[in-house]
Amino acid sequence: MTEIRTDWTREEIATLFDLPFTELLFQAATAHRTYHKPDEVQLCTLLSIKTGGCPEDCGYCSQSVHADSGVEATKLMDVRAVLQSAAQAKDAGSQRFCMGAAWRNPKDRDMPAIVEIVKGVASMGMETCMTLGMLTPKQADMLAEAGLDYYNHNIDSSPEYYEKAISTRKMQDRLDTLGEVRRAGINVCSGGIIGMGETREDRVGFVHTLSTLEQHPESVPVNALVPVKGTVLGDMLADTPMAKIDDIEFVRTVAVARITMPKSMVRLSAGRESMSEATQALCFMAGANSIFTGDKLLTAPNAGDDSDAALFARLGLKALAGEEPLRAEKALEGVE
C-alpha cells in the first residue's frame, strides 16, 4: 500500500525527479493503481465567467491589466448564461464544472450572484469548482454554505520562483486563502504551471509545497505554460528554447506529483492542446487522471471534445463515473 505522507523533504522529491524515466513511471503507475482505476479519467469543463481586467501582474496571464494581450475586460456573466453553459458541459460528459473570474478577490456585491451560480450548477448534479482569487473568511463561508465542492487557488511554482513571476501578492497570500478554503470545509484544488523558465529545483519546490500541506489538495492541476504575446513571460520566452518545456520533464513532474500525493486527482490542464498524443498517454501512465474538455480554457485554446473522445478510444480510457478517493473518504467520515 502506498503510504500517504505530508513530511516529504526536498531531497526526497529531488531523488524522485532524478530516477531513470522508466523506473519513475513504474513507481507512479503503482501509486496510481493503489487508489485509482487506471483506465478512468475525470472530465471537467472550465468557463471564464468574468474575463480580463485583473489588477494582479502574474507574468503568465493574458487577463492581467499589465499585459498587452488584447484580452478585453468583461463584467460577470449573467447567471442564466453560466447555467446554460454548465448544462451543455454536462451533456458533453463533464463531471465537474469549473468557473473562473479574473479578480484579485471578489467584492461582496458579487457574492449573491456567485452563490446563485454555485447552487444552480450543483442542482444539475455536477461537481462545482470556483476560482475567484483571494477570499475573506466570510466569503469562504458563503461559498461553503452554497454547497461549493472545490475552490481552485494555484500556488503556481516554488516559493523561490513565485516572486519572479508575480509581485502584486506573495506565496503566503495564496497559502492563507487555501487555509480559509480548508477551514470552511471546501475541497482544495491547487497546482501550478510548468515551463515558466523555472529550474528543476523550482519544480521540486512546487511539488514539495503542495505535498507537505497538512492535507493534500483533492485536485492538483498541472499546467504547461501557454506563452501569450503581450504577457511578461510570453514575450520573454518567445523564440527561445525555453518557450516549450521538454515533454519528458513535464511527464516527470506529473509522475512525482502522483507519487507524493497518491490519492489526489492530478489534472492535465492548460497546454495540453500542444502536446502530442504520445506525451498525453505518458502523462496518463504517470498518474494523470483528470482533464479539461472543450476547445477553450479561460482565454487559452484547448483540445476539443471530439479529439479527446478519439484519444480515449485509442488508449482504452473512459470517463470517471464514481467519486474521487479523497472526496469519498470525506463523505464516509461525514456519515460516521
Side-chain angles (χ1 to χ4, degrees):
M1 178 69 74
T2 301
E3 184 182 3
I4 306 299
R5 295 176 50 193
T6 58
D7 62 349
W8 291 94
T9 67
R10 286 199 176 205
E11 291 73 23
E12 287 176 309
I13 294 171
T15 298
L16 290 175
F17 266 99
D18 288 338
L19 285 173
F21 188 68
T22 52
E23 175 60 25
L24 176 60
L25 258 60
F26 175 76
Q27 290 192 24
T30 301
H32 182 62
R33 288 164 183 265
T34 302
Y35 298 106
H36 309 269
K37 294 181 180 179
D39 62 340
E40 290 189 346
V41 176
Q42 182 188 51
L43 303 183
C44 309
T45 297
L46 176 61
L47 175 70
S48 177
I49 60 174
K50 190 277 170 190
T51 304
C54 182
E56 303 280 16
D57 67 353
C58 306
Y60 52 80
C61 187
S62 62
Q63 300 196 64
S64 168
V65 294
H66 303 275
D68 185 21
S69 60
V71 173
E72 295 184 7
T74 66
K75 293 181 179 180
L76 182 65
M77 282 178 66
D78 178 74
V79 173
R80 289 170 297 180
V82 176
L83 298 184
Q84 183 178 14
S85 294
Q88 292 170 346
K90 183 179 181 181
D91 289 343
S94 281
Q95 183 186 51
R96 185 186 300 184
F97 194 64
C98 307
M99 296 154 278
W103 289 321
R104 174 178 170 83
N105 50 271
K107 294 182 172 60
D108 287 340
R109 67 170 182 263
D110 297 310
M111 292 305 294
I114 293 295
V115 166
E116 188 177 351
I117 289 171
V118 171
K119 289 181 177 179
V121 176
S123 70
M124 299 178 191
M126 299 185 77
E127 293 181 0
T128 55
C129 181
M130 285 271 185
T131 178
L132 312 170
M134 295 183 287
L135 295 176
T136 64
K138 178 183 176 182
Q139 290 170 340
D141 288 336
M142 288 179 70
L143 292 172
E145 290 167 11
L148 184 69
D149 294 306
Y150 292 85
Y151 193 81
N152 168 261
H153 203 57
N154 290 336
I155 64 166
D156 293 337
S157 189
S158 68
E160 294 80 10
Y161 196 78
Y162 184 90
E163 62 187 27
K164 297 178 183 178
I166 304 162
S167 69
T168 48
R169 60 176 152 180
K170 304 295 185 183
M171 171 71 85
Q172 191 57 49
D173 294 326
R174 301 263 180 175
L175 297 175
D176 289 345
T177 292
L178 292 180
E180 283 299 335
V181 169
R182 186 65 80 189
R183 177 199 60 76
I186 303 171
N187 294 300
V188 169
C189 174
S190 187
I193 306 171
I194 309 303
M196 295 192 292
E198 79 284 351
T199 63
R200 164 74 70 81
E201 187 177 352
D202 289 313
R203 290 187 277 280
V204 169
F206 156 64
V207 174
H208 177 261
T209 300
L210 291 178
S211 63
T212 55
L213 291 174
E214 188 174 340
Q215 284 181 258
H216 292 160
E218 281 76 10
S219 291
V220 180
V222 183
N223 300 270
L225 178 70
V226 179
V228 178
K229 186 178 180 181
T231 62
V232 173
L233 288 175
D235 291 344
M236 181 182 79
L237 300 176
D239 303 320
T240 73
M242 296 175 68
K244 186 180 184 305
I245 188 172
D246 177 76
D247 288 339
I248 298 299
E249 185 68 11
F250 186 87
V251 176
R252 281 185 181 277
T253 306
V254 169
V256 174
R258 169 50 70 216
I259 293 169
T260 55
M261 295 172 279
K263 285 190 179 180
S264 302
M265 303 297 289
V266 177
R267 181 175 305 111
L268 287 184
S269 299
R272 191 168 62 87
E273 84 290 341
S274 64
M275 296 179 190
S276 68
E277 290 189 344
T279 297
Q280 293 182 63
L282 285 172
C283 287
F284 293 134
M285 186 179 295
N289 61 342
S290 180
I291 62 169
F292 279 123
T293 62
D295 57 10
K296 195 174 186 181
L297 296 183
L298 298 180
T299 60
N302 187 49
D305 294 331
D306 292 342
S307 62
D308 287 336
L311 177 61
F312 273 35
R314 292 185 66 190
L315 298 179
L317 299 175
K318 59 187 178 183
L320 173 70
E323 287 275 24
E324 303 125 56
L326 286 174
R327 192 172 177 209
E329 278 185 8
K330 273 192 172 182
L332 287 175
E333 289 170 2
V335 171
E336 293 170 2

